[in-house]
C-alpha cells in the first residue's frame, strides 16, 4: 500500500495552509435514520446535539451492565476513561497535527505503511493515533508509543468530542476502514 503523490499533495494542501479541518462524528445507522426522520418531519425543534446526547445516554445506560460485568470479570474497559471524556494532551502542541483513527487491532496494523510514509514526507507534522478497543490500544502503543501519541477515542457525547477537538486541534483526520 503506497500513498500516491496526488493523495500526498492533497494531504499537504489540507494540513499546511488550513486552519482546521473537522470531521463529523458518525452515528450508528439506526440513530442516523431516526435523526433524519425527526429533521424531515420537524417533529422536534431541539438542537440535534441534545437529541444525540440523549440517545447516546440511553444507549450508555442500556449497555452499562454489560460493560460493568466485563470490567469486573474480564478486566476489560478499565483504561482510558480520561481520554474517552476528551482529556487528551498532545506532545507537540505547536506543530500541525494529523489525527488517525483506527478502531481495532487490524486497523492499527493497517496504519503502519501510511504512518511510515507520513513521517518521511511530512516530518513537520505531529501524528496522533486513536483507537477504541483494548487490543488496538495495546498494539498501537507497541508500534508507536515511543514516537506518537496513542489514546482512546472519545465517547460520542458533544462535550467529550468538543473537548477532544479543542485539545488536539487536528489539521487533518484520517479514518481507517470506515465502518458505517
Amino acid at each position: 500500500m503506497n500513498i500516491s503523490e496526488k493523495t500526498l499533495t492533497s494531504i499537504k494542501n489540507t494540513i499546511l495552509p488550513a486552519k482546521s479541518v473537522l470531521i463529523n462524528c458518525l452515528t450508528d445507522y439506526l440513530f442516523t435514520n431516526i435523526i433524519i426522520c425527526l429533521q424531515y418531519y420537524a417533529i422536534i425543534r431541539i438542537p440535534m446535539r441534545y437529541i444525540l446526547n440523549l440517545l447516546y445516554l440511553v444507549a450508555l445506560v442500556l449497555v452499562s451492565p454489560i460493560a460493568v460485568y466485563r470490567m469486573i470479570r474480564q478486566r476489560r474497559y478499565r483504561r482510558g476513561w480520561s481520554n474517552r471524556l476528551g482529556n487528551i494532551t498532545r506532545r507537540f502542541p505547536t506543530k500541525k497535527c494529523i489525527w488517525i483513527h483506527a478502531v481495532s487491532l487490524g486497523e492499527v496494523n493497517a496504519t503502519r505503511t501510511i504512518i511510515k510514509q507520513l513521517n518521511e514526507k511530512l516530518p513537520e507534522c505531529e501524528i496522533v493515533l486513536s483507537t477504541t478497543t483494548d487490543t488496538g490500544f495495546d498494539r498501537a502503543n507497541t508500534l508507536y508509543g515511543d514516537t506518537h501519541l496513542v489514546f482512546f477515542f472519545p465517547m460520542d457525547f458533544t462535550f467529550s468530542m468538543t473537548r477532544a477537538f479543542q485539545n488536539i486541534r487536528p489539521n487533518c483526520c484520517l479514518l481507517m476502514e470506515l465502518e458505517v
Side-chain angles (χ1 to χ4, degrees), residues 6-7 9 39 41 44 48 56 62 78 85 91 95 98 104 109 124 129 141-142 149 161 174:
K6 184 177 179 182
T7 303
T9 302
Q39 287 177 328
Y41 293 107
I44 299 176
M48 290 310 296
Y56 289 136
L62 292 175
R78 291 180 174 214
L85 295 174
R91 292 180 181 177
K95 285 183 161 185
I98 301 172
S104 62
N109 286 332
E124 69 276 7
L129 179 69
N141 267 324
T142 300
L149 174 65
M161 290 304 299
L174 303 176

Side-chain angles (χ1 to χ4, degrees), residues 71-84:
M71 288 172 92
I72 295 169
R73 300 288 289 172
Q74 300 171 355
R75 305 186 71 73
R76 295 177 65 191
Y77 310 124
R78 291 180 174 214
R79 300 178 288 167
W81 284 102
S82 179
N83 294 157
R84 292 171 204 232

Side-chain angles (χ1 to χ4, degrees), residues 63-179:
V63 171
S64 62
I66 297 167
V68 169
Y69 172 79
R70 288 182 175 176
M71 288 172 92
I72 295 169
R73 300 288 289 172
Q74 300 171 355
R75 305 186 71 73
R76 295 177 65 191
Y77 310 124
R78 291 180 174 214
R79 300 178 288 167
W81 284 102
S82 179
N83 294 157
R84 292 171 204 232
L85 295 174
N87 298 320
I88 301 154
T89 304
R90 285 181 41 200
R91 292 180 181 177
F92 308 103
T94 57
K95 285 183 161 185
K96 304 243 183 243
C97 179
I98 301 172
W99 180 357
I100 300 176
H101 177 61
V103 174
S104 62
L105 176 70
E107 293 167 354
V108 170
N109 286 332
T111 64
R112 288 187 291 189
T113 304
I114 193 167
I115 287 180
K116 180 182 177 203
Q117 290 187 11
L118 287 171
N119 281 332
E120 290 171 1
K121 307 222 179 188
L122 298 170
E124 69 276 7
C125 294
E126 177 183 11
I127 298 172
V128 299
L129 179 69
S130 64
T131 185
T132 304
T133 65
D134 290 333
T135 54
F137 183 80
D138 292 339
R139 180 67 174 155
N141 267 324
T142 300
L143 292 174
Y144 310 115
D146 296 335
T147 55
H148 301 295
L149 174 65
V150 176
F151 58 94
F152 282 99
F153 190 76
M155 289 190 279
D156 283 337
F157 290 105
T158 303
F159 72 90
S160 59
M161 290 304 299
T162 301
R163 185 180 301 141
F165 273 96
Q166 287 173 346
N167 291 340
I168 298 170
R169 295 182 327 279
N171 297 93
C172 180
C173 294
L174 303 176
L175 303 176
M176 299 298 293
E177 297 182 37
L178 184 62
E179 297 173 354

